Amino acid sequence: MVPTSYYIILSAALFAIGVLGVLIRRNALVVFMSVELMLNAANLVLVAFARERLSIDGQVLVFFVITVAAAEVAVGLALLVAIFRTKHTADVDEVSTLRG
Amino acid sequence: MDFVLFFITAAVALIGAIAMLVARNAVHSALFLLLNFAAIAVLFLLLQSPFLFAIQLTVYAGAIMVLFLFVVMLLGAERVEDTPDRIAWQRPLAVALGVALVAVAVAGVLRGVWEAPPGGEAAAAFGDPAHLGALLLTNYLLPFQVTGIILLIAVVGVAVLNQRGRAAPAARRAPTGE
């Protein structure tokens, strides 16, 4: 059985890559993908701890996280399409003002 | 055997994530993220959660990534970063902060006391999808129903955000400076 600490280190690395994606990339869609990566890293560590404690509640929590992530992706992508329609760009630096 | 599988899958997950980060084309990023999601699904299986393995593949790798690819191609936003970066000086700072984040997390893990995960009969029965489903409809019934409402609101929100009804022509008539 692989120790839980291995999973946590892997999850930390994936989370940091997601943070880097949000900080470095300018394509709004790739920034959004990085957010999904961070959510997945958190899910992984939740499942790892559920295994560590033999408590299935962690898996239930991951189920809810995935559901909310699905809703979040739908709304987020709809927002991006709406922004693209008015600004004609998906570069996050171009939409730094709140004006429409 | 477990260790071999873990290290191979972890390597695939990390490679997928890093490739997503550095790929210039957003479509390539989406496909590398798909690889990462698949690797994480396999890790879920290693952690005795077959239900989440299936959910991860169908919802994340299936539905969400198809949505991403669809929007990237619909908008034609594959290469919006060909223009020069106006805040390029922030890039090394971001990398340094990311490395610091990993260092802090690893330090936290190393300071913890880790016992071997429990085995035996309880471990063998752990992760049964039937148990998880029963839990969703008993202890977690209210959150389960709330997620249904959240999904409904998301669907309505998407429809409202992208409607081309009365509001859209008025917005188009307004001076936008373009």
Side-chain angles (χ1 to χ4, degrees):
Chain A
M1 190 51 74
V2 182
T4 309
S5 52
Y6 287 27
Y7 285 100
I8 299 174
I9 291 174
L10 171 66
S11 172
L14 289 176
F15 191 91
I17 293 171
V19 170
L20 273 182
V22 172
L23 292 178
I24 289 178
R25 296 303 300 262
R26 285 177 294 137
N27 189 336
L29 285 154
V30 180
V31 169
F32 208 20
M33 288 177 208
S34 304
V35 173
E36 294 306 309
L37 183 64
M38 285 194 275
L39 279 170
N40 256 279
N43 281 349
L44 181 63
V45 91
L46 274 172
V47 177
F49 273 116
R51 173 67 188 78
E52 163 99 6
R53 314 274 314 205
L54 283 189
S55 153
I56 207 162
D57 301 66
Q59 296 191 7
V60 176
L61 190 55
V62 171
F63 173 79
F64 288 132
V65 169
I66 291 177
T67 321
V68 173
E72 174 237 331
V73 165
V75 176
L77 287 178
L79 279 173
L80 282 183
V81 171
I83 290 173
F84 196 86
R85 208 181 276 157
T86 51
K87 291 269 187 180
H88 303 288
T89 181
D91 189 332
V92 286
D93 286 349
E94 301 292 328
V95 282
S96 53
T97 55
L98 283 173
R99 258 182 325 113
Chain B
M1 184 60 197
D2 265 5
F3 276 89
V4 176
L5 257 180
F6 172 80
F7 283 116
I8 293 174
T9 322
V12 171
L14 282 175
I15 289 169
I18 292 171
M20 182 215 73
L21 183 64
V22 298
R24 295 281 85 187
N25 190 323
V27 174
H28 298 169
S29 285
L31 292 175
F32 281 123
L33 190 61
L34 191 61
L35 179 72
N36 176 269
F37 284 171
I40 288 180
V42 174
L43 288 176
F44 283 173
L45 206 55
L46 268 179
L47 285 165
Q48 289 183 308
S49 40
F51 178 70
L52 290 176
F53 164 76
I55 291 286
Q56 174 89 2
L57 281 187
T58 50
V59 176
Y60 256 120
I64 291 184
M65 287 322 292
V66 167
L67 206 57
F68 263 114
L69 280 173
F70 189 78
V71 171
V72 171
M73 291 174 176
L74 176 79
L75 297 185
E78 290 96 342
R79 303 186 149 271
V80 299
E81 291 171 77
D82 289 343
T83 52
D85 197 347
R86 279 182 295 176
I87 43 176
W89 59 271
Q90 288 185 358
R91 190 168 293 224
L93 195 62
V95 174
L97 288 175
V99 171
L101 185 63
V102 177
V104 168
V106 171
V109 172
L110 292 181
R111 282 171 64 94
V113 180
W114 300 97
E115 297 159 13
E121 233 173 83
F126 175 72
D128 183 15
H131 184 202
L132 207 156
L135 213 56
L136 274 181
L137 294 178
T138 51
N139 283 5
Y140 291 94
L141 184 59
L142 182 64
F144 188 60
Q145 289 184 324
V146 170
T147 55
I149 297 172
I150 288 176
L151 287 175
L152 176 69
I153 293 172
V155 170
V156 173
V158 170
V160 168
L161 278 172
N162 280 315
Q163 67 177 348
R164 290 176 176 274
R166 278 180 299 118
R172 223 175 284 136
R173 242 181 280 122
T176 54
E178 284 173 352

